[in-house]
Amino acid sequence: MQKLGLLGMGDVIEKTSYDLRRNSYAGKILIFSDCQHQAESLQKLHGCLIQPSVEMVCKGSNVFFLMSAPEKITGFTRDLQRKLQGTLISFVPGLNRSNLKKLFPQARCFRAVNSFSATQYQSEVALFPDAPDVRRLLGYLGNLQVLTDELDFELATVATCMNGWIYFLLHDLQQWLSEKGLPPEYARRLVLRNLQECLITSSNQPRNSFRALGEAQAKPNSFAANGLAVLNHQPPGAAWGAACEVVLDSLLN
């Protein structure tokens, strides 16, 4: 039976364990946690096997998810890089496969990125490079996309950051309505309703670009078209593109 060791801390371990079990992963999950409450919860809810140390997780597993924060990876691997054998799937952003193989010379090294979406939705997972056994395992986490180019993988990592940015756009729209006099709760509902309509329409019409769908809503001489003319004159996309470039540059360097 496959024995999967989760090397990381905090919420990311909880979300990963949840996704694996929700999608019927039947293998053993080994973890180490400094937090007794978290360890007991994961053991009770997801059948995780609690280990007394990270070293014991490595010793008892044949497949690993590396999920530490980027700034902790050097210190974290110092004691483990020579001991860890088997298949290593790194979820650490900015750590390219070449450097990953140098840190873990005895392991089969792969990279993955997970959107870690809210629990009621399937996560989006990207894998580089491809391998059938790794593909099957990551399929338990959500919708899997295999990538053949590492730069494409970095772009997929940039996309995971967009989730956090969109909240600020929603905040600005709600704030404007509230400042004009609408009750904040009602303004929030209106903004969310618009977002939900966009998501439903986009999902139902996958062959139409986002731009085409937007143009269908903002028909000539409509109120929506008047607002769109202002947005086109002062394109918000420039700021979004600049934010993406900054994240991509930090991942590559």
Side-chain angles (χ1 to χ4, degrees):
M1 176 181 288
Q2 190 175 74
K3 299 176 182 178
L4 174 61
L6 303 186
L7 304 175
M9 303 291 288
D11 291 345
V12 67
I13 296 298
E14 294 184 13
K15 293 177 181 178
T16 301
S17 300
Y18 174 88
D19 282 342
L20 287 167
R21 293 308 191 202
R22 176 180 62 165
N23 293 310
S24 303
Y25 176 73
K28 293 182 178 180
I29 301 176
L30 285 72
I31 68 167
F32 166 74
S33 176
D34 289 325
C35 176
Q36 183 177 355
H37 174 73
Q38 182 192 50
E40 292 175 350
S41 176
L42 291 173
Q43 187 175 43
K44 180 179 179 180
L45 294 175
H46 308 307
C48 295
L49 303 177
I50 312 304
Q51 304 299 300
S53 66
V54 174
E55 286 74 14
M56 291 303 293
V57 173
C58 294
K59 186 176 180 180
S61 307
N62 50 28
V63 182
F64 306 88
F65 284 177
L66 181 62
M67 312 181 94
S68 291
E71 63 272 15
K72 296 181 180 179
I73 189 65
T74 302
F76 182 71
T77 61
R78 202 166 286 152
D79 296 329
L80 302 177
Q81 56 188 358
R82 300 187 185 280
K83 301 177 183 177
L84 194 146
Q85 300 182 25
T87 300
L88 176 69
I89 305 166
S90 171
F91 289 80
V92 181
L95 179 59
N96 65 42
R97 189 163 179 252
S98 177
N99 287 331
L100 189 65
K101 291 166 74 173
K102 291 177 183 177
L103 289 170
F104 299 97
Q106 299 186 65
R108 296 172 65 219
C109 294
F110 299 85
R111 298 186 69 190
V113 61
N114 190 344
S115 67
F116 289 117
S117 59
T119 53
Q120 62 264 39
Y121 300 111
Q122 285 284 84
S123 297
E124 290 292 332
V125 185
L127 165 66
F128 171 79
D130 189 20
D133 58 327
V134 179
R135 192 192 319 143
R136 284 192 296 271
L137 175 57
L138 292 182
Y140 287 107
L141 294 180
N143 301 316
L144 179 63
Q145 177 67 48
V146 176
L147 299 173
T148 58
D149 184 274
E150 196 158 19
L151 179 57
D152 288 345
F153 180 88
E154 304 297 4
L155 293 173
T157 304
V158 174
T160 65
C161 299
M162 295 178 183
N163 178 54
W165 303 342
I166 290 171
Y167 288 107
F168 291 95
L169 172 61
L170 301 180
H171 165 79
D172 289 346
L173 296 173
Q174 179 197 14
Q175 188 76 6
W176 186 88
L177 291 170
S178 298
E179 289 176 351
K180 292 298 182 181
L182 281 184
E185 297 81 5
Y186 181 44
R188 180 187 177 96
R189 289 210 315 271
L190 290 175
V191 171
L192 288 176
R193 173 56 60 187
N194 282 322
L195 179 63
Q196 289 165 353
E197 288 292 338
C198 290
L199 294 174
I200 292 171
T201 301
S202 300
S203 297
N204 290 338
Q205 301 182 45
R207 294 186 178 181
N208 291 331
S209 69
F210 291 129
R211 185 178 188 87
L213 293 172
E215 289 173 345
Q217 294 294 320
K219 295 179 180 178
N221 301 317
S222 67
F223 292 116
N226 293 339
L228 180 61
V230 176
L231 291 176
N232 287 335
H233 182 66
Q234 300 174 347
W240 290 83
C244 292
E245 290 290 349
V246 167
V247 173
L248 179 61
D249 185 64
S250 63
L251 287 169
L252 296 175
N253 299 291

